[in-house]
């Protein structure tokens, strides 16, 4: 697919400078002298500010007081056209007026202002801001969010249970007891554009906003190809049989650490029987109805979320640009 790398979170070509990860002293010096700067992330929400009609990440000095709420180690993200970029997890900070219900909602619109941040610098949900960032900022934010979330949930050695240490500037955890090295996870997910002639198969999960439908998706299981996962997931969720499957485009999706493989599959059958444990509803929608839904003019279907690969694939299917 020629447009594959224009998907949100993909294709900014960040230089991750993996060879620098072992140079602890060099990276620490860069943070001291200002060649390096840090993106603070609070409970998965990067610090951002409005800029030029869009949004940008806020990078603070390595000695900024906000970082007092972070562990001592910094995650090194890479060389952003000459600026060395790091991230730090300041989730220990407790805002005074925390709205816990908003934080756990489907689309958390709450904003948090740290007392040491400048005016207009706020922690924001990345899902709501991702299409307002440049491709480079989106890649940096997705990488930092996924990596810091991995460190939070993988503190202990999976082999012996001892608390492990961040090494390689955050790209490994090493066990001080048994010496095991642990590497960050990426979980593969297939998301599929299943068509039958002029129609597209969509489903909705329980708990989604009313009227919202999207492409079917599911985790690839160990020992399975992408193509087999597409056929299995569609059969399990809707009982629709799928024949030929093609890969189209991928998208890193840091909720918390997925890599979405966008695929296209041709349905061999049309009758739908949903699995109520996975889906609340599934339906076939024509190209014409999809065009109405994406432009917000459909009577019952909501447009898919901007920035997600589902919407990217649907728009390109409508425009006949999947090749
Ligand atoms: Zn161990």
């Amino acid at each position: 697919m020629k447009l594959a790398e224009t998907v949100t979170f993909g294709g900014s070509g960040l230089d991750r400078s993996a060879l620098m990860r072992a140079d602890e002293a060099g990276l620490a010096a860069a943070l001291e002298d200002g060649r390096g700067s840090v993106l603070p992330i609070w409970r998965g929400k990067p610090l951002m500010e409005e800029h030029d009609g869009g949004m940008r990440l806020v990078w603070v000095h390595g000695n900024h007081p906000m970082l007092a709420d972070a562990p001592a180690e910094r995650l090194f993200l890479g060389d952003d056209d000459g600026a060395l970029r790091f991230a730090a997890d300041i989730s220990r900070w407790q805002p005074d007026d925390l709205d816990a219900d908003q934080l756990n909602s489907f689309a958390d619109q709450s904003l948090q202002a740290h007392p040491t941040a400048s005016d207009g610098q706020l922690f924001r949900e990345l899902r709501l801001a991702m299409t307002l960032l440049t491709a480079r900022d989106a890649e940096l934010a997705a990488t930092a969010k996924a990596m810091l979330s991995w460190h939070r949930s993988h503190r202990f050695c999976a082999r012996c249970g001892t608390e492990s240490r961040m090494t390689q500037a955050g790209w490994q955890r090493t066990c001080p007891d048994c010496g095991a090295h642990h590497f960050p996870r990426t979980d593969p997910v297939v998301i599929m554009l299943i068509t039958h002639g002029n129609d597209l198969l969509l489903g909705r999960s329980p708990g989604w906003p009313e009227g919202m439908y999207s492409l079917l998706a599911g985790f690839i299981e160990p020992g399975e190809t992408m193509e087999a996962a597409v056929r299995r997931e569609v059969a399990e969720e809707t009982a629709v049989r799928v024949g030929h499957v093609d890969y189209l485009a991928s998208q890193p999706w840091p909720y918390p650490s997925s890599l979405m493989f966008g695929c296209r599959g041709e349905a061999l059958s049309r009758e739908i029987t949903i699995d109520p444990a996975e889906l609340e509803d599934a339906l076939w929608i024509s190209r014409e109805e999809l065009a109405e839904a994406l432009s917000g003019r459909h009577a019952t279907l909501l447009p898919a979320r901007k920035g997600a690969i589902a919407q990217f694939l649907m728009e390109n299917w409508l425009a006949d640009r999947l090749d």
Side-chain angles (χ1 to χ4, degrees), residues 216 219 221 224 229-240 273-276 278-279:
L216 303 184
F219 287 103
E221 296 184 343
E224 197 173 42
V230 167
R231 295 188 189 103
R232 176 184 53 75
E233 282 287 342
V234 175
E236 284 175 5
E237 294 188 357
T238 64
V240 169
T273 308
I274 60 163
D275 170 4
E278 297 265 349
L279 290 185

Side-chain angles (χ1 to χ4, degrees), residues 185-236:
R185 291 175 60 151
T186 298
D187 301 325
V189 174
V190 281
I191 180 158
M192 40 277 185
L193 193 81
I194 302 298
T195 56
H196 190 265
N198 191 50
D199 294 339
L200 175 65
L201 181 61
L202 297 180
R204 60 172 275 116
S205 296
W208 282 6
E210 197 175 330
M212 185 174 165
Y213 282 77
S214 189
L215 302 181
L216 303 184
F219 287 103
I220 303 177
E221 296 184 343
E224 197 173 42
T225 62
M226 273 193 288
E227 292 83 354
V230 167
R231 295 188 189 103
R232 176 184 53 75
E233 282 287 342
V234 175
E236 284 175 5

Side-chain angles (χ1 to χ4, degrees), residues 7-9 130-131 251 253 305-312:
V7 64
T8 303
F9 296 138
M130 60 190 172
T131 58
Q251 180 182 43
W253 191 244
R305 185 190 293 283
K306 285 206 186 327
I309 192 170
Q311 198 214 16
F312 176 84

